[in-house]
Amino acid sequence: MLGSDVDSLTQATLGAAVAEAGLGRSLGRKAMLWGLLLGTFPDLDILAYPLLDVTGQLYWHRGLSHSIMAMVVISPLLGLILHKIHGAKAPPIRAIWTCFWIYATHVLIDCFTVYGTQIFEPFSDYRFGLNNLFIIDPLFTLPLIAGLVGAFFLRKRPQWRNRANWIGIGLCTLYVVWSFGAKAIISHRVTSELSRQGIEVQRGFTHPSPFNTILWRSLHESED
């Protein structure tokens, strides 16, 4: 439950940062509030949990609601709702694109984790996962929070407000880039060691341990 709560915090924070970047200058602090809400929108699929058994829950979560098709269909509807509520302060095209990027970044960071995301639903139930971030990583979330806090208190200085938010987004993006580099290094070392020991593997994967990208775990399956 803790993991789910903190993961939702990350998604909400990222949504707020994207909304601030897209609509902050016109909507002010309301953009962050909308981002917090819409950043967790795809995870509302858990509302169906009472109707499903444990296996069904695992299959359903990060399924159709996290697919590219849902992203393309739902984002314009959310954007038009924002425009309807705020009028000229949320122009249709900008509102739709902001909602699209909130949705897209939610799905994208889910793809970074080991759990995988069914982005090709309803055409395929394959779970796509890059395994470069643990589901909870403070070093990804904290820069976003810092940027939002800066933007929140700099509301009377739009230029600095925008800059603070983008610095937070930039830092967490650099951290993601680092995570791919760290995974490549670890994967190479593991493969080299397996080869040195003459161990032939059929499949395997490498992923970070909780809350960091320094200590990694690699699991491989041999013929026996």
Side-chain angles (χ1 to χ4, degrees):
M1 188 67 177
L2 173 63
S4 176
D5 290 343
V6 179
D7 181 49
S8 295
L9 172 63
T10 300
Q11 298 286 17
T13 304
L14 180 60
V18 174
E20 170 65 23
L23 294 170
R25 291 192 176 187
S26 56
L27 292 185
R29 290 175 174 175
K30 292 179 181 179
M32 290 187 193
L33 294 177
W34 277 113
L36 289 170
L37 176 64
L38 297 179
T40 59
F41 179 83
D43 285 340
L44 292 180
D45 56 6
I46 64 173
L47 294 177
Y49 272 13
L51 305 176
L52 305 170
D53 58 20
V54 175
T55 302
Q57 291 175 3
L58 291 172
Y59 176 82
W60 175 252
H61 186 46
R62 296 189 179 186
L64 183 61
S65 66
H66 287 61
S67 67
I68 295 174
M69 187 182 77
M71 187 192 312
V72 172
V73 172
I74 295 175
S75 296
L77 299 178
L78 295 175
L80 291 176
I81 291 173
L82 277 183
H83 171 65
K84 185 70 174 179
I85 294 173
H86 295 288
K89 290 185 177 181
I93 300 300
R94 188 187 301 175
I96 289 172
W97 274 111
T98 299
C99 290
F100 173 83
W101 285 113
I102 292 173
Y103 210 125
T105 51
H106 177 116
V107 173
L108 181 61
I109 63 172
D110 275 348
C111 289
F112 290 158
T113 69
V114 71
Y115 293 97
T117 307
Q118 295 168 224
I119 59 175
F120 302 114
E121 283 279 8
F123 309 105
S124 171
D125 60 1
Y126 173 76
R127 284 189 171 266
F128 182 77
L130 296 172
N131 310 332
N132 59 296
L133 289 178
F134 188 69
I135 192 170
I136 308 166
D137 194 326
L139 290 180
F140 179 88
T141 309
L142 289 176
L144 291 171
I145 294 176
L148 288 172
V149 170
F152 185 86
F153 287 104
L154 291 169
R155 64 187 186 278
K156 293 182 179 180
R157 303 181 66 180
Q159 183 176 358
W160 284 99
R161 170 180 177 157
N162 187 58
R163 186 173 299 175
N165 185 56
W166 276 107
I167 288 174
I169 294 174
L171 288 175
C172 79
T173 301
L174 288 175
Y175 184 68
V176 171
V177 173
W178 147 255
S179 72
F180 281 114
K183 181 182 178 181
I185 293 171
I186 295 299
S187 297
H188 174 72
R189 289 181 178 178
V190 170
T191 302
S192 298
E193 181 61 21
L194 290 171
S195 178
R196 186 187 70 81
Q197 296 185 30
I199 300 174
E200 295 184 3
V201 297
Q202 295 180 329
R203 60 177 179 169
F205 67 95
T206 301
H207 64 94
S209 59
F211 316 125
N212 78 102
T213 52
I214 301 298
L215 180 63
W216 294 68
R217 178 172 181 261
S218 193
L219 178 65
H220 293 264
E221 180 183 13
S222 62
E223 187 176 18
D224 59 356

